[in-house]
Amino acid sequence: MSLRRAVSAALLAASLTTLSAACGQQHAAVGLPTGNRADGGTPSSPPGTPYRQGRVDSGLVYFASAPGAVRQVRAVLRGPEGVDAFARQFGKRSGEIIDKAEGTDFTRTTLVGWSTTTGCAQWSSATLHRAGDTLKLIAGPHPEPPPECFAPFHVIAVFEVPKDRLPERPRFAD
């Protein structure tokens, strides 16, 4: 085999390895305990215990999943100024994000904005969960990613969270 062919084969193998590694970075749709009580405590905690784990969002204000790169942003949005600052980071989508969040009652609710790359998986939804002071994005049901991956997908999500379910100093899981 000529040197040129050997180098070409090595470059092709390295490219394919890089692409398959990027597609392999899927976010799990599991990972936090289930079975929480209706008041937000864990099954073993007495009634009235502050919310400590499980799903915290009451719904999605905005959600988009598309191919391409996106800035990794995680932010608690406590008012319209926070929504505007979060939205401006997403170019042409900023107006839609701001419009969807317009009717939010910030006296009772906080919004949590989250954007991330999902590898080759195109998510149709997501939920926001809490374990202690850590918030974690959980993928909704989605199809198995294809074996080939030419461009990773990303999600931008804005969740509505009742203020009493949000930790005082939230941390964000990777």
Side-chain angles (χ1 to χ4, degrees), residues 131-173:
D133 288 342
T134 302
L135 300 176
K136 182 175 183 174
L137 185 70
I138 304 292
H142 57 277
E144 196 64 33
E148 71 285 340
C149 181
F150 300 108
F153 280 84
H154 68 265
V155 296
I156 301 170
V158 178
F159 299 96
E160 186 174 54
V161 181
K163 284 187 173 185
D164 63 338
R165 291 187 177 188
L166 196 66
E168 189 173 315
R169 290 184 181 90
R171 296 180 326 196
F172 298 95

Side-chain angles (χ1 to χ4, degrees), residues 8-165:
S8 294
L11 286 173
L12 178 61
S15 297
L16 291 173
T17 301
T18 302
L19 279 174
S20 66
C23 286
Q25 295 177 358
Q26 306 299 322
H27 292 270
V30 296
L32 291 174
T34 58
N36 295 323
R37 293 193 332 259
D39 69 357
T42 60
S44 61
S45 64
T49 302
Y51 200 95
R52 298 296 301 160
Q53 67 184 32
R55 183 174 177 179
V56 295
D57 70 282
S58 58
L60 282 163
V61 171
Y62 178 84
F63 186 82
S65 178
V70 70
R71 179 181 289 187
Q72 304 272 338
V73 180
R74 292 155 177 91
V76 176
L77 314 173
R78 300 185 191 279
E81 305 81 27
V83 173
D84 290 349
F86 176 80
R88 278 194 305 267
Q89 298 179 66
F90 302 106
K92 64 183 179 181
R93 292 196 173 134
S94 64
E96 189 177 352
I97 294 169
I98 292 167
D99 290 347
K100 297 274 186 173
E102 190 174 325
T104 303
D105 178 2
F106 286 105
T107 63
R108 298 180 308 137
T109 303
T110 301
L111 299 180
V112 174
W114 198 301
S115 66
T116 192
T117 300
T118 60
C120 289
Q122 183 175 13
W123 296 2
S124 58
S125 66
T127 55
L128 188 65
H129 290 245
R130 175 181 174 183
D133 288 342
T134 302
L135 300 176
K136 182 175 183 174
L137 185 70
I138 304 292
H142 57 277
E144 196 64 33
E148 71 285 340
C149 181
F150 300 108
F153 280 84
H154 68 265
V155 296
I156 301 170
V158 178
F159 299 96
E160 186 174 54
V161 181
K163 284 187 173 185
D164 63 338
R165 291 187 177 188

